[in-house]
Amino acid sequence: MNSAISHERQPAARIRDAAELARIARLLRRDVINLVAPTGQGYVQQGLGAADLFAVLYFAEMRIDPTDPRWPDRDRFLLSTAHNTAIFYATLAARGLVDRNLVRDYCKDGSVFEVNASERVGTAIEATLGSLGQGLSVGIGMALAARRRKSDSRIYLVLGDGELQEGQLWEAALYAGSAGLSNLCLIIDYNSMQVEGHIDKVVSVEPVAEKFKAFGWASENIDGHDIPALLTALDQARGRDRPTCLVATTIAGKGVPSLEGILAHNLKLPADVAEEALVALADAKERT
């Protein structure tokens, strides 16, 4: 099994070709497997499920410059959920924002690439989050700051559907809608999975899109694996006078048939399963 993350790409910024973005997402899924495999257990299902979201955000949507990561007018990204750090780190490495060799130490003792993304990593991490429900509040502060600076910077936030059970998040959502924070875009990774099981068997949060609309947001349900639809939705968000919420339905384990749909928050990943996943994620040329 290849223990390193993929080296076969460093595409140009803001790719709009859906097929190329799908290829990048597939490679990111392979990177997730390679990052988690050494420990034999981790946030595999969430990373595989969210790969299309991260590929679109970092390679098509966000204005960032890897040569100048602190460019004042860059777009900001916040990850509110620890369970997406494997895909987050893989994406940062692929985009040239962190050293891919250091990312291999994911979750090892002493590594800055911890299970919760923190500013110890460096400039690629805009804020240390992890206490569920707080990410939106931080994003609102950044959106307000950008507006006061008259900056074109946009703030993007990915959070998990289970976080919608946190009261602080709804207080923040109410304020963002009231303030008309048009530079704020929230993407909910709606995989229906949380630690205790299926979200509906813990605390049902539906109807999510309608709730955000009632709080003054532009909100819609979207297939989190439909790359053209994601591109269109993000384009439309730029022209609004209010914050946007995309409720992106994703499939846990997406891309690996034997793992798809398995709601395992912290999946066991023995070597043979990891190898099978890498084969499933190989392209046609690699299989022959």
Side-chain angles (χ1 to χ4, degrees):
M1 182 176 62
N2 176 17
S3 61
I5 61 178
S6 307
H7 284 259
E8 53 183 293
R9 83 279 183 213
Q10 180 57 34
R14 308 196 75 178
I15 297 167
R16 304 297 296 181
D17 180 73
E20 176 62 8
L21 290 167
R23 186 187 75 88
I24 292 169
R26 176 180 59 81
L27 293 172
L28 293 177
R29 289 185 169 98
R30 295 185 67 184
D31 291 349
V32 167
I33 297 296
N34 282 321
L35 288 177
V36 176
T39 66
Q41 185 171 352
Y43 296 135
V44 176
Q45 296 298 80
Q46 300 92 331
L48 295 176
D52 298 304
L53 302 178
F54 278 78
V56 169
L57 283 171
Y58 269 89
F59 289 89
E61 173 66 12
M62 290 170 52
R63 300 184 312 156
I64 51 178
D65 182 359
T67 67
D68 185 12
R70 283 301 182 189
W71 172 39
D73 288 326
R74 70 190 180 280
D75 290 338
R76 271 76 169 170
F77 176 82
L78 297 170
L79 178 65
S80 192
T81 54
H83 63 241
N84 272 331
T85 49
I87 183 62
F88 186 27
Y89 294 150
T91 305
L92 293 177
R95 194 65 182 81
L97 291 163
V98 297
D99 187 334
R100 64 177 60 248
N101 293 312
L102 296 179
V103 176
R104 296 175 186 174
D105 291 334
Y106 173 62
C107 286
K108 292 181 181 177
D109 287 347
S111 172
V112 299
F113 293 94
E114 302 166 290
V115 72
N116 241 350
S118 79
E119 291 159 278
R120 291 182 62 211
V121 168
T123 56
I125 308 298
E126 298 285 354
T128 300
L129 302 171
S131 294
L132 297 182
Q134 294 185 0
L136 182 55
S137 297
V138 176
I140 287 171
M142 289 183 171
L144 285 169
R147 186 162 74 178
R148 290 175 181 176
R149 294 197 315 270
K150 301 187 184 305
S151 170
D152 291 333
S153 174
R154 292 181 60 77
I155 314 303
Y156 296 87
L157 171 70
V158 166
L159 59 79
D161 45 9
E163 283 189 82
L164 298 172
Q165 298 161 356
E166 297 284 348
Q168 177 179 331
L169 185 139
W170 293 106
E171 294 178 31
L174 181 63
Y175 178 81
S178 177
L181 293 179
S182 58
N183 57 348
L184 177 63
C185 184
L186 168 65
I187 301 98
I188 299 172
D189 179 14
Y190 205 103
N191 60 16
S192 297
M193 176 174 61
Q194 59 186 110
V195 176
E196 296 88 349
H198 194 289
I199 187 172
D200 287 345
K201 297 184 182 303
V202 183
V203 176
S204 178
V205 296
E206 288 293 345
V208 177
E210 286 76 7
K211 287 176 181 175
F212 275 90
K213 287 178 183 177
F215 278 39
W217 293 58
S219 181
E220 65 178 291
N221 295 304
I222 192 167
D223 182 345
H225 305 301
D226 186 338
I227 289 176
L230 289 168
L231 292 171
T232 298
L234 289 168
D235 283 343
Q236 293 172 341
R238 288 182 172 272
R240 294 187 174 124
D241 61 355
R242 63 191 65 191
T244 293
C245 173
L246 302 180
V247 186
T249 301
T250 60
I251 299 172
K254 178 68 174 178
V256 180
S258 63
L259 298 180
E260 284 191 4
I262 296 176
L263 301 185
H265 188 78
N266 201 340
L267 183 79
K268 291 188 182 299
L269 189 69
D272 61 329
V273 177
E275 188 64 42
E276 177 187 345
L278 290 175
V279 171
L281 291 166
D283 64 24
K285 291 181 180 178
E286 291 172 322
R287 293 192 189 102
T288 58

